[in-house]
Amino acid sequence: MNKAIITFVGQDTVGIIARVCPYLSQHNANVLDIPPTIIDGSFKMMLIVDYSSADTSLAAMVGNLADR
């Protein structure tokens, strides 16, 4: 199993998780855990992901997530 932690930090907005998880799923990356935290409108999420079956590299997925 190839695991990675992908961290998101920023302003809380509607649909952050809804944009990220389908994208990872489309590339066969399995989200193992999502511990999100919201404090005073700031959002922090650390996704623990198994990317061993992914159809693209972890670097490419993370780079494309930055655009979402």
Side-chain angles (χ1 to χ4, degrees):
M1 188 180 307
N2 293 323
K3 292 183 187 177
I5 297 174
I6 303 171
T7 304
F8 297 87
V9 177
Q11 183 69 29
D12 185 31
T13 59
V14 174
I16 295 172
I17 295 172
R19 288 190 307 268
V20 171
C21 289
Y23 173 79
L24 292 172
S25 177
Q26 289 171 359
H27 292 287
N28 298 319
N30 186 30
V31 177
L32 303 174
D33 196 10
I34 307 173
T37 303
I38 301 170
I39 300 173
D40 294 326
S42 294
F43 179 83
K44 179 184 81 172
M45 175 174 65
M46 294 185 341
L47 291 169
I48 301 172
V49 177
D50 173 8
Y51 63 96
S52 56
S53 297
D55 61 3
T56 189
S57 71
L58 178 63
M61 281 190 290
V62 170
N64 288 330
L65 281 171
D67 297 334
R68 297 193 177 275

